Amino acid sequence: MLDKGRGIFQSALLSTKAHRADIDGLRAVAVLGVLGYHFGLGVPGGYGGVDVFFVISGFLIAGIIKNDLEAETFSLVNFYVRRIRRILPALVVCLSVTTIAALLILFPLDFKNYGRSLLAAVLSVSNFYFQSRNGYFDGAATEKPLLHTWSLGVEEQFYIVFPLTLLLLFKFARKCLLPLLLAVVVLSLAYSGFSGMRAREPAFFSTFGRAWELGIGTLLAFAALPPPSRRWAIEAEAGTGVLLIAFSYFFYDDDTLFPGLAAVPLCLGAALIIHSGMTPQKSFVARLLSSSPMIGIGLISYSIYLLHWPLLVLCQYRFPDVFAAGAPHATDARIGLALASVCLGALSWRFIEEPFRRSGVISTKTVFGAGATAVLTLVGASAVIIVRPHWLQSWPAAIEAMQFRRTVSGRVLGLKRQPGWTHDTYLIGNDGSTPDTVLWGDSFAQALVPGFITFYSKTGQGAVIAAAPGCPPLLGVTFYRRLANEKCRPHNDAIFKAISEPGIRRVILMARWSAFVNSTVRDGSGNPVVHGKSVRADGSVFAGVLEQVVSRLVAQNKEVVLVGPIPSQKFSVGPAMARHIAWDLPLPPELTLREFAEDERLVLPLLAQLATIPHVRVIYPHLSLCDPYACHYSINGKAMYSDDGHLSPDGVEALSSMFDELFHDAAKS
């Protein structure tokens, strides 16, 4: 019995020291999932390949550290030297080549944003950077060449914290090591699940929310479970692992509540495959994963991962007509880019990764010095891109004129905060006075702020701007799985309380109504909930909530002005017009008036109904933007939109007559 136990321990120890060909194959499974998802090749849940990578990384890194600690040869300096030689060369080359390509392809505003993401990638904080800039699954993700570096940020933060933590635990609290690791895994998973239900982005990009995935691999490395000894158990474990990963790859999609509990099958599947291989007997799955093609792809998986996303994003940016949905050769182009990613990954592995990793003895000073030089060079490049992009680029003036930010905050516009109101509320008017009008809404309302400033300069009629992106003017609503969900409800409560003051007599309500009418439902308790994406609601819940807000304002003797829907085009207008000028790409068709009416079929009748309430008016911007046939996105060569729906400053200027209607009585006085 003692010999059997010793054999199990020795096999587990061997499995963390010896090279595991099946783990190379598991890397291939991970990166192929990511490629299949990103290139749209029928793997809707392939984004979970990153989670498989996390489990592998936790197992391998913890195994290396554990073995060195047990042999009393562990050195933090040597550990980081190995990490630098393994990670930095290919990353630096990828970032450098991507930066040159971005310089040649991206328009000024996108290039400046690229510089910010480059700085975040170099400093290993990409996950925090992208967490604050929409999500991994939104349409804008396809315009961020370095979005994929969020996972490198998580791993590199793990490398910073984990070795020292493990060293201290091993030295002072070895008996508590496994229980503490298990506690971290449980707490991290709980945080990921809870946070993901409230808002997807923090859970997705969070280092702590991903720690449990790395922790599962760590527990395997520390032999938290003895490896299986019977053939049937080995085969069953490995087979179950494959099925769990395959299920997640092919049955998950962008709408899956992920990560949280949905990531468990992926991580458990990877863990089962790794665990089943911690024995001299190899399963059928292990033999498949150890085949030459799988090992080959696994070995170059890091370089494939680094290069595939910038290649896809920049090609889509430059040739949107080729990759557009429904384009005749879009699938062929995506397959070609996927194969090109593999080929480029092989070249990067052969001529960059391997030479730096295998190049004999290099002094510690040389490694750290070269690494620091590369990092500082890229930091300097990113600083130039952010602060002085025109030093590197020169685009025609017509393109420069179309570089609009989607919305601009009051702080950036030089407005002062309104005293006594919530911190994200700004004043257009004289210091020390409170105008009698409040603009309350989301980013669509925020986009109108330049028009309010212009109107004030002409008439002296100011306004309090209470516009927060993602937060429609609704009360008593829970915002579920939205980036802004944590702030929306308290923000709206605070605004409504401030509006209740007697000095405020007019409230202007504006939002992207169609986005919320389709996503507002009642939860199991009957409370209204706004989802992050459309759930094809019938509009009745939204109608009741908005009507309640309007009625409560009217009951306080406020005049309520509802701004109707802005026609949303089917594409991002500014970039499309810039591509037309730069590369002579065809301009997309304008939204027809019939399409606008269909898009707003739930909103327009609701607004007409609310307009029958005394002291309530509705103003329709589309009357200035549309003729009887189409809603124009360009007037006299000027882009009316900064993206598909937010008005540009030129678009707001086209609505100048609307502001007279908003303040019709004030303008006369």
Side-chain angles (χ1 to χ4, degrees):
M1 190 71 180
L2 184 62
D3 290 339
K4 183 179 179 181
R6 184 180 296 114
I8 290 174
F9 175 77
Q10 288 175 344
S11 68
L13 181 62
L14 178 65
S15 68
T16 61
K17 288 184 175 180
H19 178 78
R20 293 269 302 271
D22 61 323
I23 290 183
D24 285 333
L26 188 57
R27 281 196 180 108
V29 170
V31 79
L32 289 174
V34 173
L35 289 182
Y37 171 68
H38 282 158
F39 288 99
L41 303 178
V43 192
Y47 52 81
V50 173
D51 303 77
V52 175
F53 274 129
F54 283 154
V55 176
I56 295 172
S57 294
F59 175 75
L60 294 178
I61 295 303
I64 291 170
I65 297 173
K66 171 179 174 289
N67 292 334
D68 287 350
L69 286 172
E70 289 175 340
E72 298 183 351
T73 58
F74 179 72
S75 163
L76 281 172
V77 172
N78 290 338
F79 173 83
Y80 289 120
V81 165
R82 289 197 297 266
R83 291 296 90 202
I84 291 172
R85 292 178 65 169
R86 171 72 178 92
I87 294 173
L88 200 59
L91 177 61
V92 168
V93 171
C94 172
L95 295 178
S96 300
V97 172
T98 302
T99 299
I100 294 171
L103 165 67
L104 299 173
I105 295 173
L106 297 183
F107 295 127
L109 182 61
D110 293 325
F111 187 52
K112 195 169 185 177
N113 289 332
Y114 170 82
R116 295 187 178 97
S117 68
L118 174 63
L119 180 62
V122 174
L123 299 179
S124 301
V125 291
S126 289
N127 55 322
F128 298 116
Y129 173 80
F130 288 114
Q131 176 181 323
S132 63
R133 282 160 177 78
N134 294 324
Y136 181 81
F137 299 97
D138 67 7
T142 58
E143 298 177 1
K144 302 169 184 174
L146 301 182
L147 175 64
H148 66 316
T149 60
W150 75 267
S151 63
L152 301 182
V154 170
E155 284 207 31
E156 287 156 8
Q157 291 155 29
F158 172 74
Y159 297 150
I160 292 172
V161 174
F162 182 70
L164 180 59
T165 302
L166 204 56
L167 175 64
L168 295 174
L169 288 174
F170 209 81
K171 187 172 183 179
F172 298 110
R174 189 177 304 189
K175 292 182 179 180
C176 300
L177 197 150
L178 280 179
L180 287 174
L181 287 175
L182 182 60
V184 170
V185 168
V186 172
L187 290 173
S188 171
L189 176 57
Y191 170 80
S192 178
F194 178 72
S195 177
M197 288 189 294
R198 299 172 64 200
R200 192 177 203 178
E201 289 79 8
F204 192 93
F205 292 110
S206 166
T207 302
F208 183 66
R210 296 287 187 164
W212 69 274
E213 302 179 13
L214 294 149
I216 285 178
T218 301
L219 289 173
L220 288 175
F222 277 84
L225 293 173
S229 57
R230 297 182 182 275
R231 165 63 63 179
W232 68 266
I234 295 171
E235 297 290 352
E237 194 173 36
T240 302
V242 169
L243 290 175
L244 288 171
I245 293 174
F247 171 81
S248 303
Y249 275 11
F250 294 104
F251 288 92
Y252 287 3
D253 58 24
D254 288 0
D255 292 325
T256 301
L257 184 56
F258 196 89
L261 294 178
V264 171
L266 284 156
C267 297
L268 181 59
L272 289 174
I273 292 172
I274 294 172
H275 188 252
S276 68
M278 297 174 70
T279 174
Q281 300 182 67
K282 296 302 176 186
S283 66
F284 174 72
V285 169
R287 291 194 296 274
L288 282 179
L289 292 176
S290 300
S291 62
S292 296
M294 295 300 285
I295 290 176
I297 294 175
L299 289 174
I300 64 176
S301 60
Y302 174 57
S303 283
I304 293 175
Y305 183 79
L306 283 179
L307 295 167
H308 85 283
W309 184 249
L311 179 64
L312 174 61
V313 168
L314 292 173
C315 285
Q316 286 185 145
Y317 192 96
R318 176 59 182 83
F319 305 104
D321 51 331
V322 175
F323 294 93
H329 301 293
T331 300
D332 294 339
R334 289 176 178 276
I335 292 173
L337 286 184
L339 293 174
S341 300
V342 175
C343 294
L344 291 173
L347 292 173
S348 173
W349 176 81
R350 174 63 181 84
F351 296 106
I352 300 170
E353 283 193 66
E354 282 296 282
F356 278 94
R357 190 165 53 174
R358 305 292 184 189
S359 56
V361 177
I362 302 178
S363 71
T364 299
K365 288 184 178 180
T366 300
V367 172
F368 280 108
T373 300
V375 168
L376 290 174
T377 300
L378 288 172
V379 167
S382 65
V384 172
I385 295 171
I386 295 168
V387 180
R388 294 288 186 271
H390 58 276
W391 287 0
L392 305 174
Q393 284 188 321
S394 178
W395 290 98
I399 290 178
E400 293 280 1
M402 293 176 183
Q403 302 308 299
F404 309 119
R405 294 176 63 175
R406 189 178 72 174
T407 57
V408 179
S409 70
R411 178 181 57 82
V412 174
L413 290 171
L415 301 180
K416 294 184 179 180
R417 287 178 175 164
Q418 174 65 11
W421 290 54
T422 184
H423 74 281
D424 51 357
T425 306
Y426 295 89
L427 169 67
I428 298 176
N430 297 322
D431 292 346
S433 65
T434 299
D436 62 2
T437 300
V438 174
L439 172 65
W440 182 15
D442 62 2
S443 58
F444 272 53
Q446 194 176 59
L448 294 183
V449 170
F452 279 87
I453 294 174
T454 300
F455 189 83
Y456 170 72
S457 66
K458 292 179 178 179
T459 67
Q461 174 63 46
V464 175
I465 306 300
C471 298
L474 303 176
L475 297 172
V477 172
T478 299
F479 292 83
Y480 177 65
R481 293 181 63 190
R482 298 185 65 87
L483 183 62
N485 77 319
E486 292 186 2
K487 70 176 183 179
C488 283
R489 187 159 183 167
H491 166 83
N492 285 337
D493 289 343
I495 295 303
F496 185 79
K497 181 179 179 181
I499 287 173
S500 301
E501 296 297 322
I504 302 297
R505 66 183 188 87
R506 180 188 299 106
V507 181
I508 302 170
L509 303 179
M510 184 181 184
R512 190 171 197 166
W513 303 119
S514 59
F516 302 106
V517 73
N518 291 308
S519 59
T520 306
V521 295
R522 294 197 182 277
D523 61 17
S525 302
N527 300 312
V529 173
V530 176
H531 286 261
K533 290 188 175 182
S534 172
V535 291
R536 298 182 179 179
D538 62 8
S540 60
V541 176
F542 174 82
V545 174
L546 183 58
E547 184 175 1
Q548 183 184 51
V549 172
V550 171
S551 297
R552 291 178 66 179
L553 290 171
V554 170
Q556 295 181 0
N557 296 318
K558 312 296 181 185
E559 178 193 8
V560 178
V561 183
L562 288 152
V563 180
I566 300 291
S568 290
Q569 303 291 335
K570 306 300 183 184
F571 58 95
S572 190
V573 172
M577 293 183 65
R579 290 184 179 99
H580 176 69
I581 296 170
W583 305 314
D584 200 29
L585 295 181
L587 286 170
E590 295 177 316
L591 183 79
T592 67
L593 190 62
R594 179 176 295 180
E595 288 174 322
F596 167 72
E598 175 62 21
D599 291 343
E600 308 296 339
R601 65 188 181 280
L602 298 178
V603 174
L604 294 173
L606 170 61
L607 296 180
Q609 177 184 343
L610 294 174
T612 63
I613 300 174
H615 308 295
V616 176
R617 292 187 290 127
V618 179
I619 295 174
Y620 295 97
H622 76 276
L623 297 178
S624 298
L625 298 170
C626 306
D627 60 25
Y629 307 102
C631 298
H632 305 295
Y633 59 74
S634 172
I635 297 178
N636 298 325
K638 296 180 179 180
M640 297 293 100
Y641 297 82
S642 57
D643 53 14
D644 64 325
H646 294 84
L647 291 177
S648 69
D650 290 326
V652 175
E653 185 178 350
L655 299 179
S656 58
S657 61
M658 185 187 78
F659 289 91
D660 292 328
E661 292 185 66
L662 290 174
F663 295 95
H664 74 288
D665 57 335
K668 294 176 183 178
S669 60

